């Protein structure tokens, strides 16, 4: 029997009580150590849009640590794939409080379509795709939507993923549904 272990490689949303080191980099190092001990290979869905936001606000320590850890993940033979949280495009960093303000109106690709139209949504996805390729050195084959949110424009998303030659989408969680102020999905 084979088991595929996947992880969303992403930082917190909401209140920033801990540093990126504490919520992303150190836990990932622990996962890598466990994987090595058990000779297991992992798949990390990396939140590439966070890189765009951190670069925009000059938070290069995070960007450098992110890149360094992704290179290590790849060197160890693990896999990295695309995780898309487009709310980062509109996020604002407050230097004095060392915190992010996230506007969740663009939580998903569907929200981008609703708020900006299909053309702009596809351009924003393309920006994330190019950033991923620049960082990883290859095109992603698998996709995971932020918050598993693909609806209500899942047909447009599927079309876009096909156009970019994705082979797998791991966004769908069969027989699950969830509703919050930021997101919803219904795969019942």
């Amino acid at each position: 029997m084979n088991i595929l272990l996947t992880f969303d490689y992403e930082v917190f949303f909401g209140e920033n009580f801990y540093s990126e080191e504490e919520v992303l980099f150190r836990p990932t190092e622990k996962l890598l150590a466990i994987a090595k001990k058990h000779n297991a290979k992992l798949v990390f869905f990396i939140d590439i849009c966070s890189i765009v936001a951190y670069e925009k606000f000059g938070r290069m320590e995070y960007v450098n640590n992110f890149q360094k850890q992704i290179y290590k993940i790849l060197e160890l033979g693990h896999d990295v794939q695309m995780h898309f949280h487009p709310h980062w495009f509109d996020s604002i960093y407050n230097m004095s409080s060392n915190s992010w303000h996230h506007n969740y109106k663009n939580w998903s690709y569907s929200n981008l379509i609703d708020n900006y139209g299909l053309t702009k949504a596809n351009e924003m996805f393309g920006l994330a795709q190019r950033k991923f390729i620049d960082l990883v050195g290859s095109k992603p084959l698998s996709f995971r939507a932020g918050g598993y949110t693909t609806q209500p424009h899942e047909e447009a998303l599927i079309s876009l993923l096909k156009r970019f030659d994705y082979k797998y989408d791991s966004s769908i969680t069969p027989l699950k549904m969830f509703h919050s102020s930021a997101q919803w999905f219904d795969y019942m």
Side-chain angles (χ1 to χ4, degrees), residues 114-129:
D114 290 341
N115 294 320
Y116 298 125
L118 182 62
T119 300
K120 180 72 173 173
N122 288 350
E123 287 172 8
M124 294 170 89
F125 188 92
L127 170 66
Q129 172 87 0

Side-chain angles (χ1 to χ4, degrees), residues 43-100:
V43 179
F44 292 89
F45 284 88
I46 62 173
D47 182 3
I48 202 69
C49 297
S50 69
I51 290 292
V52 174
Y54 275 79
E55 285 177 339
K56 177 180 171 183
F57 287 94
R59 302 285 318 279
M60 296 312 292
E61 182 179 357
Y62 171 82
V63 173
N64 295 333
N65 288 337
F66 187 105
Q67 292 173 332
K68 183 175 150 187
Q69 194 163 60
I70 295 305
Y71 295 150
K72 179 179 181 178
I73 288 168
L74 292 168
E75 287 172 7
L76 292 172
H78 302 290
D79 193 17
V80 295
Q81 296 298 329
M82 172 74 101
H83 190 33
F84 188 64
H85 272 290
H87 74 277
W88 280 107
F89 291 121
D90 296 324
S91 293
I92 305 290
Y93 177 69
N94 183 323
M95 190 178 303
S96 62
S97 65
N98 189 30
S99 63
W100 286 95

Side-chain angles (χ1 to χ4, degrees), residues 88-178:
W88 280 107
F89 291 121
D90 296 324
S91 293
I92 305 290
Y93 177 69
N94 183 323
M95 190 178 303
S96 62
S97 65
N98 189 30
S99 63
W100 286 95
H101 171 70
H102 300 294
N103 183 338
Y104 296 112
K105 71 177 182 144
N106 287 324
W107 176 260
S108 70
Y109 174 76
S110 286
N111 293 137
L112 292 177
I113 292 173
D114 290 341
N115 294 320
Y116 298 125
L118 182 62
T119 300
K120 180 72 173 173
N122 288 350
E123 287 172 8
M124 294 170 89
F125 188 92
L127 170 66
Q129 172 87 0
R130 287 187 302 280
K131 182 61 75 175
F132 182 98
I133 293 168
D134 288 346
L135 175 66
V136 175
S138 62
K139 290 172 36 175
L141 298 174
S142 296
F143 172 79
R144 180 172 291 158
Y148 305 104
T149 305
T150 63
Q151 299 162 330
H153 299 293
E154 62 269 22
E155 293 301 321
L157 177 61
I158 291 167
S159 176
L160 180 68
L161 295 176
K162 285 180 180 178
R163 193 168 71 214
F164 279 104
D165 295 322
Y166 282 84
K167 305 299 180 210
Y168 309 98
D169 176 12
S170 72
S171 305
I172 309 300
T173 54
L175 303 177
K176 303 283 185 201
M177 63 187 243
F178 179 79

